Amino acid sequence: MHDTILLGFSLAGTWQNLGFALIGCILGTLIGVLPGVGPLATISMLLSMTIYLDPLASLVMLAGIFYGAQYGGSTTAILCNLPGEASAVVTVLDGHKMARNGRAGSALAIAALSSLFAGIVATIVISLFAPVLSTFALRFNAPEYFALMMLGLFAAVVFSGARLPKALAMACLGVLLGTIGTDVETGVSRFTFGLPELSEGIGIVALSMGLFGLSEIIMNISKAESREVMKAKIGSLWPSREEARRAAPAAARGTAIGSLLGVLPGGGVVLSTFVAYMFEQKVSKTPEIFGKGAVEGLAAPEAANNAAAQTSFIPLLTLGIPTTPTLALMLGAMIMQGIQPGPQVMITRPDLFWGLIASMLIGNVMLVIINLPMIGLWVQLLRVPY
């Protein structure tokens, strides 16, 4: 374990990978700050570019965009009452109230430090439990993989939020689209309609660009967007001793909840923030302060969303199962690079696996360094006409 961690840091610490981690973190923060874009659309638009990059560098950059958006989303949630990311919806409840009460700087610092703590702990969880899960997954045969795929499809239906018939129809359509191409066993073309372009199936780049990239841009252009930017001074970025004392245990509980729920398919990142917030209300001796600027109501969901974003990589890297649409695009990026996600990744490509984990630790530190000093710049960006 010691040697593999050193291997990861030696690879993630190269100038090239540090540079791509920085690019990913800045892009992730930027799209998190600007509501309506999101990591899903951004990664789908950058997916075709990753073919020309080293596999580890491309994954480091895409991962930085994914968890960087969790940091950026809290900035607009606190300062503008406008969640930049879906996972920042709960942050609005108490974070913006703290800003209105003259504690904007403290709220931003608590959000960033809670996310940093959660990111570090969740990355350690990945390094501890991913090898165990990978060893267990090596015993999987065809029946187990079939059951796992069925579980994934049912989970997608249950967590989709749509009505059951509609969700089932979506899952069935996805399965049908997956059958397009040449059958691996017989070599027979299926549903290609004589088009040679479909012989290898539907391209992940074209599919992601059409479904997530262009559609997201068109939808955002077609609707009105109003942004009320706070004009009050942000103030000191250091929380008071009392705020730190109340935030620390809440962040720890949020980290535990996010680390667990992040592994579940179907939006564990968003779900974890609501669960963490409700749990804090239950255990609090003063639940009436929630929604009025409670420090616990900010620290817990911010820690939960970042922890869930990190641990969602466990099923992706060890079982080849993405838990969110964004991670499905990252799975597509790995396949485009000739890497088959699954339990063999740790054996065949330990450099990729441990390099990515080490880059997450580095990226979380980068994000705090980027976010806190550049808050003024992110706020000014919100003044740009939509």
Side-chain angles (χ1 to χ4, degrees), residues 153 168-181 190-193 198 201-202:
L153 288 171
L168 283 171
M170 289 164 56
C172 291
L173 177 62
V175 172
L176 287 173
L177 291 175
T179 61
I180 295 174
R190 298 177 302 194
F191 307 114
T192 58
F193 303 102
L198 293 177
I202 299 177

Side-chain angles (χ1 to χ4, degrees), residues 134-155:
S134 179
T135 304
F136 174 73
L138 286 171
R139 302 176 183 176
F140 273 40
N141 292 311
E144 288 82 8
Y145 272 108
F146 175 78
L148 200 59
M149 292 301 293
M150 291 302 296
L151 174 64
L153 288 171
F154 283 126

Side-chain angles (χ1 to χ4, degrees), residues 3-341:
D3 293 337
T4 54
I5 292 173
L6 286 178
L7 170 66
F9 276 105
S10 67
L11 294 169
T14 63
W15 287 110
Q16 179 191 12
N17 290 328
L18 284 174
F20 280 109
L22 182 62
I23 291 170
C25 290
I26 292 174
L27 278 176
T29 304
L30 180 61
I31 64 170
V33 168
L34 295 175
V37 184
L40 186 61
T42 305
I43 290 177
S44 68
M45 288 185 282
L46 293 174
L47 199 59
S48 58
M49 294 174 55
T50 60
I51 303 173
Y52 305 101
L53 299 177
D54 177 76
L56 179 57
S58 64
L59 286 178
V60 164
M61 183 180 71
L62 295 179
I65 292 172
F66 178 50
Y67 55 78
Q70 315 304 322
Y71 276 78
S74 63
T75 302
T76 48
I78 292 168
L79 297 179
C80 308
N81 199 29
L82 191 67
E85 258 292 286
S87 57
V89 170
V90 184
T91 304
V92 169
L93 300 176
D94 286 284
H96 189 63
K97 286 291 183 182
M98 286 183 67
R100 289 292 180 191
N101 295 337
R103 301 296 297 160
S106 178
L108 290 164
I110 288 170
L113 294 174
S114 297
S115 296
L116 174 64
F117 171 76
I120 292 173
V121 172
T123 306
I124 294 172
V125 169
I126 295 174
S127 63
L128 291 176
F129 289 99
V132 178
L133 188 59
S134 179
T135 304
F136 174 73
L138 286 171
R139 302 176 183 176
F140 273 40
N141 292 311
E144 288 82 8
Y145 272 108
F146 175 78
L148 200 59
M149 292 301 293
M150 291 302 296
L151 174 64
L153 288 171
F154 283 126
V157 171
V158 171
F159 290 113
S160 67
R163 292 185 178 181
L164 184 60
K166 186 177 179 181
L168 283 171
M170 289 164 56
C172 291
L173 177 62
V175 172
L176 287 173
L177 291 175
T179 61
I180 295 174
T182 305
D183 185 83
V184 179
E185 301 293 334
T186 63
V188 176
S189 296
R190 298 177 302 194
F191 307 114
T192 58
F193 303 102
L195 298 173
E197 292 83 2
L198 293 177
S199 60
E200 295 183 4
I202 299 177
I204 182 68
V205 174
L207 186 68
S208 59
M209 280 286 289
L211 283 177
F212 307 121
L214 297 176
S215 61
E216 190 76 23
I217 292 170
I218 293 169
M219 184 179 72
N220 287 323
I221 290 174
S222 63
K223 67 180 182 182
E225 179 79 34
S226 61
R227 299 173 183 172
E228 181 188 351
V229 181
M230 271 192 64
K231 295 178 180 171
K233 287 186 177 180
I234 292 172
S236 173
L237 290 173
W238 290 105
S240 66
R241 185 175 296 180
E242 173 63 19
E243 287 173 333
R245 184 187 66 79
R246 290 165 52 194
R253 289 189 289 265
T255 300
I257 292 170
S259 298
L260 180 63
L261 295 182
V263 183
L264 299 178
V269 178
V270 179
L271 181 66
S272 65
T273 59
F274 287 94
V275 173
Y277 188 84
M278 288 187 292
F279 184 78
E280 286 303 313
Q281 279 186 307
K282 292 287 185 184
V283 300
S284 176
K285 295 179 181 178
T286 54
E288 66 276 1
I289 67 172
F290 281 78
K292 299 176 183 178
V295 174
E296 299 90 339
L298 171 64
E302 276 300 305
N305 72 22
N306 208 265
Q310 308 281 340
T311 57
S312 59
F313 281 88
I314 292 178
L316 174 69
L317 294 173
T318 59
L319 299 174
I321 299 174
T323 57
T324 67
T326 307
L327 289 177
L329 292 180
M330 293 191 65
L331 182 141
M334 293 176 72
I335 294 173
M336 287 162 56
Q337 294 276 9
I339 301 163
Q340 185 59 47

Side-chain angles (χ1 to χ4, degrees), residues 227 381-386:
R227 299 173 183 172
L381 277 173
L382 289 166
R383 301 180 191 274
V384 177
Y386 194 66

